[in-house]
Amino acid sequence: MRPAAVLGRLAVPAGVLAAVAGAFAYVGTVDPNRPGHYPVCPLLRFTGLYCPGCGGLRSAHAFVHGDLLAALHDNALATVGYPLFAVVWVLWALAAVRGRPLRIVPSTAQLWCVGAVAAVFTVVRNLPFGGWFHP
């Protein structure tokens, strides 16, 4: 296997990793807990309800700084997604090195489960007893 061919196949996964690392570096540097740096969630602004993504930037900021408890508090769903992304990226990079496409084909039941988890997370964080999930 030629090194140039391997590097060529790793270009897209490396580009995605660079973009994600750059985004995390920016959010780690520019604190989302201080107003004025990021836009407000429109759903929260107009309805007062937290969407599944609310607190995601604060969660990423806490995650970058190693505060996993704060990251979980700000957005537990996103915090679980960070290592999941890392695992999928590694699988993608390994497949690229081998010259094979990454094939992740979730079943319909798995997709429904992901949707149900996101829906339950959204509902619970907006109920009075779900205050720990408020960002």
Side-chain angles (χ1 to χ4, degrees):
M1 201 174 340
R2 294 186 351 228
V6 172
L7 288 176
R9 289 192 299 260
L10 281 174
V12 175
V16 169
L17 182 62
V20 170
F24 267 81
Y26 181 80
V27 172
T29 304
V30 181
D31 189 355
N33 294 302
R34 297 180 59 202
H37 295 291
Y38 301 97
V40 176
C41 172
L43 183 68
L44 179 62
R45 182 178 194 159
F46 295 118
T47 68
L49 297 173
Y50 297 109
C51 76
C54 279
L57 290 173
R58 286 184 290 267
S59 172
H61 181 79
F63 191 83
V64 166
H65 290 277
D67 191 351
L68 295 181
L69 194 58
L72 281 168
H73 176 269
D74 289 330
N75 192 316
L77 202 57
T79 305
V80 169
Y82 305 145
L84 182 63
F85 169 81
V87 168
V88 171
W89 186 88
V90 167
L91 293 174
W92 183 22
L94 289 173
V97 166
R98 293 180 183 134
R100 298 182 190 136
L102 179 64
R103 300 259 190 245
I104 297 177
V105 183
S107 68
T108 303
Q110 290 169 326
L111 292 173
W112 275 101
C113 284
V114 168
V117 166
V120 167
F121 174 71
T122 303
V123 170
V124 168
R125 76 188 320 205
N126 285 293
L127 294 174
F129 64 83
W132 196 82
F133 290 115
H134 294 176

